[in-house]
Amino acid sequence: MPLLLIQGTEDRVTPLDAHAARLAQAVPQARLVVLDGCGHLPEVEMPEQVDKLIREFLHGSPAYRPRALAGISAKPSSGSIRSRRRP
């Protein structure tokens, strides 16, 4: 099952290496995106980037592509985004 994980580099509540990175390694179809300078609440701190990532993920996952999102394009985001995929 496809899984999108969005994590901030400055998250002190759930550190990257202790949680999201381990989960991404354990789930075969996981995609981990790390947002530089973001803390524990990426959806609050960087809503445009998170929205764009979710839309791209849904558009790229045919099994999870809602018809309501068809034809909607995401706005370009600013800021640094790093993405890691499981090998």
Side-chain angles (χ1 to χ4, degrees), residues 67-78:
R67 292 176 191 254
L69 288 178
I72 296 175
S73 62
K75 296 178 183 176
S77 66
S78 60

Side-chain angles (χ1 to χ4, degrees), residues 6-8 11 35 38-51 53-54:
I6 302 172
Q7 174 81 33
D11 188 342
L35 300 176
C38 187
H40 183 65
L41 298 171
E43 68 279 6
V44 174
E45 297 172 48
M46 298 182 169
E48 285 113 17
Q49 288 90 337
V50 170
D51 182 58
L53 289 167
I54 292 170

Side-chain angles (χ1 to χ4, degrees), residues 6-7 10-11 13 18 20-22 25-26 29 38 41 55 58 60-62 67 76-77 79 85:
I6 302 172
Q7 174 81 33
E10 304 303 315
D11 188 342
V13 178
R22 294 175 83 186
Q25 289 177 345
Q29 293 180 325
C38 187
L41 298 171
R55 288 175 188 269
L58 292 174
S61 301
R67 292 176 191 254
S77 66
R85 292 184 188 241

